[in-house]
């Protein structure tokens, strides 16, 4: 069961990734990132990380992708403005990458992947007594806010600085 | 196998209930609108009498008086929408134009999965959970799914290849992103209060009594959440994506027949979903005053009352949304953005800090 779900979601990821790089129209490329992120979220669930799956959908599938879509829709390229040059290298590279990933999937499928991948929704992996379960929100929060608090806060300062920098760069009159 | 069959019960209950009630919400909306604007509203298509459904089947007039006049208008509308020609404008992007209504309809449905509609019930010796799935990401699932609902509107707006639709789509994406930020922060403070992300746990906390309802403990969060719910559903006073005075119909200007019907259904299901979420987070879920007493008096039959209480709360919220829609004027776009970024988010952050301060002893 887990194997089937893994293979289906991996194929979904691969197919939509191939579609993203081969679309001429950027709106279609952005739209096809959505099934890609959904596939990724399912893979996170299979890896007993449901919180990461939810974050994947909220941050990437929701916020970031909608902003991409917003910008590309605002530019709204006409079909004639989109260059129609056949990029042979892109096709070769994507075919190679796809073949490589397909081979990986196949090798996993032949070997069987079940032992490490219990569905996190049904049976969360149990840690020791008094310890939060692997992949749970608590197990993610404890290292972030107790063990590595200072680096974590420094990273958030870095993100704020980058955000302010982007605003200053984009705004003509400050 | 039997376990899976029992799983079907909450699924049928939730999804059947939602699908069954949507047509009547449309009828209710039109009647309430008419009442507020001092009109009669739909009163023709009924069961018996002129324009009645049975009359149409039989072919001869049965009674002179209209019975249930207007009540079957949703049925007539549905027949009209389904049988109408499914027309795609030649200048539209066919693939995305067809996909958009699905994206408008699916996410509101998915949100219902984690909402507990009633207490656990024992049927024929089998304990059944009246919730489709108690995911351990809980309320985050709803945020993840709600963020998807922007795609239907954005895709529909762009694929129609019309100025009005595109403007509607762009407005919708910007609006939904802005208010999702505020909603996320509001939900964080709610999570801190309940000390859990599972909606089941939240309703469990609230079922201790009327005083334990989230409404009293997180009043600021409640008000902010309701405002965000209006903005997320693109309902008046935040219905700028489809405001008919400037944009004809906004993102669904070019849609007709059942494709339009799916956008329409999606909107009403999203209203119900927001009502159900508000009920579970702030209004005590299926709990009602006197639940414990009634449970001792009539035993397991109390579940029926719990389900009715949940439905009543959701309907009250939906009626509130309709009432607001036909009462308030529309925001201007810059006012909407100012309210979102300069009003809602700072207040939500302040509320988060205060909640964190109050709940600090709980965590340590």
């Amino acid at each position: 069961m887990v194997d089937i779900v893994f293979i289906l979601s991996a194929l979904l990821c691969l197919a939509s990734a191939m579609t993203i790089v081969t679309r001429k129209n950027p709106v279609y490329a952005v739209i096809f990132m959505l099934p890609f992120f959904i596939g990724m979220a399912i893979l996170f669930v299979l890896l007993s990380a449901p919180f990461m799956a939810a974050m994947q959908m909220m941050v990437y599938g929701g916020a970031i992708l909608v902003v991409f879509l917003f910008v590309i829709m605002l530019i709204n390229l006409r079909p004639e403005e989109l260059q129609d040059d056949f990029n042979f290298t892109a096709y070769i590279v994507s075919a190679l990458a796809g073949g490589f990933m397909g081979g990986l999937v196949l090798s996993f499928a032949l070997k069987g992947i079940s032992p490490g991948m219990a569905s996190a929704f049904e049976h969360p992996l149990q840690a020791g007594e008094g310890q939060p379960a692997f992949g749970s929100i608590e197990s993610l929060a404890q290292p972030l806010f107790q063990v590595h608090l200072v680096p974590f806060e420094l990273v958030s300062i870095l993100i704020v600085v980058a955000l302010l920098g982007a605003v200053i760069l984009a705004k003509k009159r400050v | 196998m039997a376990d899976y069959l029992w799983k079907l019960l909450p699924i049928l209950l939730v999804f059947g209930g939602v699908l069954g009630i949507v047509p009547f919400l449309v009828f209710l909306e039109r009647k309430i609108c008419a009442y507020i604007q001092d009109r009669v509203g739909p009163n023709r298509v009924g069961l018996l009498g002129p324009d009645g459904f049975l009359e149409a089947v039989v072919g001869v007039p049965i009674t002179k008086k209209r019975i249930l006049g207007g009540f079957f208008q949703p049925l007539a509308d549905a027949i009209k929408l389904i049988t109408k020609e499914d027309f795609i404008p030649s200048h539209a992007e066919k693939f995305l134009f067809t996909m958009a209504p699905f994206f408008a309809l699916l996410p509101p449905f998915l949100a219902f999965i984690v909402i507990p509609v009633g207490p656990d019930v024992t049927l024929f010796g089998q304990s059944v959970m009246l919730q489709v799935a108690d995911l351990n990401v809980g309320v985050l699932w709803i945020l993840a799914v709600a963020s998807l609902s922007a795609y239907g509107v954005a895709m529909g707006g762009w694929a129609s290849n019309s100025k009005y639709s595109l403007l509607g789509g762009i407005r919708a994406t910007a609006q939904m992103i802005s208010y999702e930020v505020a909603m996320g922060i509001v939900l964080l403070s709610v999570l801190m209060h309940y000390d859990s992300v599972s909606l089941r746990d939240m309703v469990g906390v609230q079922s201790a009594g009327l005083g334990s309802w989230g409404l009293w403990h997180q009043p600021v969060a409640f008000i902010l959440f309701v405002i965000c719910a209006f903005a997320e559903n693109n309902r008046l006073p935040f219905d700028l994506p489809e405001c008919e005075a400037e944009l004809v119909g906004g993102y669904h200007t070019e849609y007709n027949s059942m494709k339009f019907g799916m956008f329409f259904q999606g909107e009403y299901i999203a209203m119900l979903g927001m009502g159900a979420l508000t009920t579970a987070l702030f209004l005590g879920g299926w709990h009602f005053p006197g639940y414990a007493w009634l449970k001792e008096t009539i035993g397991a039959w109390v579940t029926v009352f719990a389900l009715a209480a949940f439905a009543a709360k959701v309907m009250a919220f939906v009626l509130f949304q309709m009432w607001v829609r036909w009462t308030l004027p529309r925001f201007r776009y810059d006012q909407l953005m100012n309210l979102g970024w300069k009003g809602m988010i700072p207040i939500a952050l302040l509320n988060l800090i205060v909640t964190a301060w109050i709940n600090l002893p709980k965590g340590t």
Side-chain angles (χ1 to χ4, degrees):
Chain A
M1 184 63 192
V2 177
D3 288 2
I4 296 168
V5 176
F6 170 72
I7 289 168
L8 282 181
S9 53
L11 284 179
L12 176 71
C13 282
L14 283 177
S16 44
M18 295 277 275
T19 323
I20 293 166
V21 291
T22 50
R23 282 317 91 184
K24 236 182 298 173
N25 196 327
V27 173
Y28 275 91
V30 171
I31 294 282
F32 273 98
M33 282 173 94
L34 187 58
F36 177 73
F37 286 142
I38 293 173
M40 289 294 287
I42 299 172
L43 290 181
F44 275 127
V45 172
L46 291 179
L47 290 167
S48 300
F51 182 70
M52 289 302 290
M55 282 299 139
Q56 172 87 11
M57 286 316 293
M58 273 166 66
V59 178
Y60 285 93
I64 292 180
L65 207 52
V66 173
V67 173
F68 280 1
L69 198 63
F70 181 69
V71 172
I72 288 174
M73 270 173 26
L74 261 183
I75 301 168
N76 201 22
L77 295 166
R78 300 261 148 248
E80 54 268 28
E81 291 167 31
L82 300 163
Q83 279 194 334
D84 190 21
D85 52 342
F86 180 74
N87 194 338
F88 195 63
T89 328
Y91 275 84
I92 290 187
V93 170
S94 51
L96 276 176
F100 182 69
M101 283 305 291
L104 268 181
V105 172
L106 206 65
S107 67
F108 275 127
L110 293 179
K111 253 175 71 182
I113 29 172
S114 318
M117 282 197 185
S119 171
F121 282 135
E122 302 273 329
H123 326 277
L125 292 180
Q126 287 302 321
E129 197 63 39
Q131 292 268 312
F134 175 78
S136 67
I137 296 174
E138 290 85 354
S139 72
L140 205 68
Q142 277 182 0
L144 275 186
F145 292 108
Q146 288 175 353
V147 187
H148 308 294
L149 180 63
V150 177
F152 179 68
E153 293 301 328
L154 284 178
V155 166
S156 43
I157 291 173
L158 197 65
I159 291 174
V160 172
V161 170
L163 202 71
L164 290 176
V167 170
I168 301 264
L169 282 179
K171 198 167 179 179
K172 293 203 179 80
R173 295 175 292 116
V174 181
Chain B
M1 196 61 212
D3 287 357
Y4 284 101
L5 283 180
W6 280 110
K7 264 269 168 250
L8 276 177
L9 180 73
I11 295 176
L12 289 178
L13 190 73
V14 171
F15 292 94
V18 169
L19 266 187
I21 210 165
V22 161
F24 295 100
L25 286 184
V26 179
F27 171 69
L28 204 61
E29 169 119 56
R30 291 181 65 182
K31 269 291 187 197
I32 287 174
C33 156
Y35 178 69
I36 288 174
Q37 296 174 343
D38 202 11
R39 295 186 285 114
V40 180
N43 69 340
R44 296 278 143 174
V45 186
L47 192 62
L48 284 171
D51 315 311
F53 254 96
L54 279 182
E55 296 272 331
V57 172
V58 177
V60 288
I62 300 171
T63 56
K64 279 251 174 69
K65 200 171 174 294
R66 286 199 183 91
I67 296 172
L68 288 176
F71 195 69
F72 285 84
Q73 187 68 42
L75 193 58
D77 285 344
I79 292 173
K80 186 205 82 174
L81 282 173
I82 290 169
T83 53
K84 208 170 173 179
E85 185 195 354
D86 189 11
F87 180 74
I88 298 178
S90 59
H91 52 76
E93 292 275 340
K94 286 201 175 48
F95 178 69
L96 286 188
F97 190 84
T98 317
M99 286 300 284
F102 294 93
F103 274 87
L105 190 56
L106 193 61
F109 256 130
L110 290 177
F112 277 97
I113 287 178
V114 291
I115 289 171
V117 294
D120 288 4
V121 58
T122 309
L123 280 178
F124 308 107
Q126 177 95 17
S127 178
V128 180
M129 187 171 73
L130 289 181
Q131 178 185 19
V132 176
D134 185 27
L135 306 182
N136 52 11
V137 289
V139 77
L140 297 178
W141 164 265
I142 292 193
L143 273 184
V145 169
S147 64
L148 293 184
S149 57
Y151 288 102
V153 178
M155 279 160 72
W158 184 80
S160 302
N161 209 350
S162 133
K163 283 190 193 68
Y164 299 121
S165 302
L166 184 67
L167 280 173
I170 286 175
R171 281 181 178 188
T173 42
Q175 174 181 331
M176 280 177 167
I177 284 236
S178 309
Y179 280 82
E180 223 157 70
V181 176
M183 188 183 245
I185 300 172
V186 167
L187 280 179
L188 274 182
S189 57
V190 176
L191 295 188
M192 275 185 188
H193 168 65
Y194 291 117
D195 203 16
S196 168
V197 286
S198 161
L199 280 163
R200 199 173 148 78
D201 293 351
M202 291 180 189
V203 176
V205 168
Q206 291 178 87
S207 59
L210 189 60
S212 62
W213 286 12
L215 175 65
W216 316 119
H217 297 272
Q218 287 284 329
V220 183
F222 175 66
I223 294 166
L224 291 179
F225 187 84
V226 169
I227 298 173
C228 286
F230 277 92
E232 281 285 307
N233 288 355
N234 295 326
R235 298 275 302 180
L236 253 165
F238 304 111
D239 75 334
L240 286 127
E242 51 172 301
C243 75
E244 64 276 0
E246 328 165 6
L247 295 182
V248 190
Y251 56 89
H252 54 52
T253 304
E254 306 286 331
Y255 280 92
N256 65 348
S257 78
M258 205 51 208
K259 289 208 186 80
F260 170 76
M262 283 167 82
F263 273 115
F264 206 59
Q265 255 179 313
E267 184 185 327
Y268 281 90
I269 295 171
M271 277 167 73
L272 278 175
M274 278 299 170
L277 187 57
T278 316
T279 306
L281 287 176
F282 297 104
L283 301 178
W286 41 261
H287 176 262
F288 55 91
Y291 174 78
W293 172 80
L294 204 62
K295 193 175 182 183
E296 274 183 17
T297 318
I298 56 171
W301 286 103
V302 77
T303 308
V304 178
F305 288 91
L307 284 174
F310 184 82
K313 287 173 190 175
V314 173
M315 278 312 289
F317 188 79
V318 170
L319 287 179
F320 174 66
Q321 279 187 310
M322 290 175 179
W323 179 26
V324 167
R325 174 173 181 181
W326 297 106
T327 313
L328 291 186
R330 187 180 291 128
F331 275 99
R332 216 171 51 221
Y333 200 69
D334 57 323
Q335 292 171 333
L336 171 90
M337 283 295 156
N338 278 341
L339 178 70
W341 289 98
K342 296 181 186 165
M344 308 272 291
I345 292 177
I347 298 173
L349 279 172
L350 210 65
N351 185 45
L352 181 67
I353 293 169
V354 172
T355 312
W357 183 257
I358 293 171
N359 287 308
L360 200 58
K362 221 190 313 185
T364 49

